[in-house]
Structures are given as C-alpha cells and as structure tokens.
Amino acid sequence: MAELVRFDAVEEETQRLPRNVEAEATFLGALLIDNRVAEDVQIKLRPEHFYEPLHGRIYEQALKLLDRNMVVTPVTLKPYFEADEAMKVLGGPSYLAKLTGDGAGLIGARDFADQIYDLALLRELVTVGRTLVDSALDTSETVDPKTQIEEAESALYRVSEGEAQEGGVKSFLAASTEALTNVERAFNSGGKVSGITTGLTDLNAKMGGLHKSDLLILAGRPGMGKTSLATNIAFNAANRYRRDMQDGIEPIDSLGAKTVFFSLEMSADQLATRILSEQAEISSEKLRMGAISRDEMHRLALASRELQDLPLFIDDTPALTIAALRTRARRLQRRSGINLIVVDYLQLLQGSGRANDNRVNEISEISRGLKTLAKELNCPVIALSQLSRQVESREDKRPQLSDLRESGSIEQDADIVMFIFRDEYYHLAVKPDDPDENSTEEQKAKYLAWETDHQSKVGKATVIVAKNRQGSTGNIQLSFLSEFTKFGDLAYGDAPDDY
C-alpha cells in the first residue's frame, strides 16, 4: 500500500460523508505506474468524483497529459504541482512519488475507480437529501410544494445519471472536445448531418439534423400537416436507430435515436395506425373502416411485423402538466435511453397551476420548461404549436414569427422555429365553379387557369425556418405521398437510404 497522509485526521462532523481517501491514493498510484489504467475508467470517472480536491487535480492533469499523448509519471506531473498549496502541506511534489510506493493498486484499479465513483454518488445523494429536508421545513407562503417536488425529482435524476452538482460546469477542453466530436460526426456523414437525422434530406441539409439540447418549435394552422411531419421525423429517427443497431453500429455513432412521442391530442393506437398506414401505403381512413383488400392486409401485417422492435415510445396521457411531462421523460431516458422527444402539442400542456389565471404566463412557463428539459436531458425536443387566427385574415397566408399563439416566449425560448405551409390548402378555397355546358368561354378559361396552377401545388409543402440560432433561415420544399391527400393523410416522402 502506498504511504499515505490522512486528510481527515480531525473529524468534526457527527456523521461522516462517504469517502475512501486511501482508495483514491491507491488508484492514482496505479495510474502513475501504468497509464493504461485510464483507458478503462476515464469515460466514467471524472476529477470531481474524488473527495480530496488534490487527488481530483492530480487526476485531471494526468488526463490532460494523456490526451496530448504524453507519459504520466511523478516526474512529468511535478512542474504542475510545485506551487500547489495543498501539495506543499504534504511535503511538496514528493507526494506524487509516495503514491507509487507499491503497485498493489494495479491488481484492482477498476474496482478502486468504481468505489470512488459510487462514493461520489452517495455524497451527492446526502447533499440532495439535506437540501430536500431544509426545503420541506420552509413553510413560508412563497413556497410551492409542487415546485419543490419537481426540483427534488430533477436532483435525484442527476444523481442517478452520475452528475454531481458541479457537473454543469465544463472546462473549455471538455466543451471543445464535444464540439469537435460533433464536427467529426457531420464530416463522417458526408457533411450533411451532425445531429439526429430527420429522415428528410433537404431538412437535414438546412439544419444539420436535430441537435442536443435544442428546443425546436414546429408550428402551423390546423390542416397543414404538423402532426404528420412530426410523426415522420419521429419514425425516421427511431427507424434509423433500429437499422444502425442491426448493422452493428455503436449507439453513440448512430444518426438515429430512441424516441418518445407525447401525444396529447391523438391516442397511441391512432398514432400507431397512422405510422402503419404510411409504411404500408394504405390510407388510414380505409384502415379505420376496414375497407381493405387481402393484399393490403398482407402489406399491413408485414409492416407491423417489421416495426415491432421500433424504438418509438408513445405516451398519450391527456392534460399533462409540464412538470409531469419532464418527470416521465427523465424516467424514460433513465430506463430506455431515449434521445429525442416530440410533444404534440404545446398548447395542450398545462402549467403548474399558479399561472392558470394568465394564459400568457402559463405558456411562458411551459416553453421555458421544454427548453430546460432539452438542456437537462441533453437531447432535442420538438414541440408542435398552433398559430393564431390572424393568419387567416391576411392575403398572404404564409406564417411568420408574430403569429405564434399566446406568447412571445415561445419564439424567445426556441432554438429553431419552423412553420409548415401548404399553398394547396388555401388555393382550394378560391376554386371556381366546375364548368358545364352552360359555362362561358371566360369561365372555362378561368377554371383551366386555376386547375393548372393548382396542379403545381398538389403534393407539396413548404417548411419555413424562421429562426435558427445555429444556422441560416429559409424555405425547404417537401413532397408527400399525394395518394393519401384525398383521405386527409400527409405521408411525407422519405429520404434515400443513405440519409
């Protein structure tokens, strides 16, 4: 065992925090003797997991040197700790040599690392428990018990994910490393996607995919196809993940994602019917009526069997509060590893109850909650939103940011705001009467001009990217399977196999 100096010689707390300083010292000694020890543990073990701050600094500096392909020994670490006050108390940089007193830690280095990590989680759990007790004892009128429960659940989630309170603070090295990883991901995908694929080539090209911690608002008037587009994106991301896993691609390298769809408007079976109808290319109206042929039934069964292991989860609980939605999303990420969240739609969520007398404040609370959720779970959140009726009163029906319904905070909190617009929908409203034998040549010419113009609009939709914090704005043309339009379905065409 390495020669150690006790850091906790004087114990002032009645109940000691969980720690094992000797295990930390022994692990560091093993790392200084054999640098390969870091290869197995550095993804999980971080400097803040060490109870003794000096040990955390030693480990952090060792990782920096290893990242530069340097050998880590007491000699190479010495220049970085000559002015360290805590090191001086222990006799100076010679303490580094003491850590390597014997190589006993080499045998169980991974076990020592696991124990350091587990004890760090227990210390954080103690901190959360103390904070929870102190908060619960505060009975002032300004205290909202539901908010305290939400904060406690969030804190426990962070502990379960191995994040200490200071885990939100990242060095520039950590942040830049993650940024380079995203750039490399985009490069490897042919310069198209650095996030999660939408499955739609032009949309991917515009946004680079769906990025971690982003809140994306997809808005439109009723009948524009918001739910259909969101369903397509959710399916494409989940299906890409399923295919990547079948091809042996590591989850971290997949352009897909396990996805959860919070459907506050449609039931789970209705949403599943829509997906199956799109994949089997059978209108959902025919499925509801049962008016399908034996061949169509066979296609439907094949689609259902092929998609039975699709990592797409549907929560159709009505009247969810933003707090309940965040709780369910955290639980799903912890249990199933979901990395994409879709909410249909924002205005059907409820706030905490305190702001219910003011709808604008309630919507503001919901939009902030969704952005917080995206950052907390480090995954994209797509929230559908209705638009105000003022769109209908304008001659130009194309939506704009000022049309977002009920609150300007939606625009403020969102990283990307997209509108979906179908010119075909409004063009039908100005359709002339069908010509007959009594129609004049002028009426026939007017109808022919309308029909020619209408054919250019059929089967097309425009996605207007009106706000994009990370890139440019502009319009994207999408096409959908026109055979569904007469039945009210909008199955957007998938991208090629290499999307």
Side-chain angles (χ1 to χ4, degrees), residues 20-28 49-52 55 116:
N20 188 340
V21 180
E22 289 80 5
E24 293 177 3
T26 304
F27 170 78
L28 289 174
H49 291 144
F50 288 79
Y51 176 79
E52 170 51 45
H55 288 164
I116 295 167

Side-chain angles (χ1 to χ4, degrees), residues 157-169:
Y157 171 79
R158 290 195 298 272
V159 173
S160 72
E161 294 298 302
E163 300 178 10
Q165 285 184 345
E166 61 268 34
V169 179

Side-chain angles (χ1 to χ4, degrees), residues 445-466:
K446 183 179 179 181
Y447 180 85
L448 182 61
W450 177 90
E451 187 175 36
T452 301
D453 189 22
H454 188 71
Q455 289 303 316
S456 67
K457 303 178 188 299
V458 172
K460 293 181 175 61
T462 302
V463 173
I464 304 168
V465 180

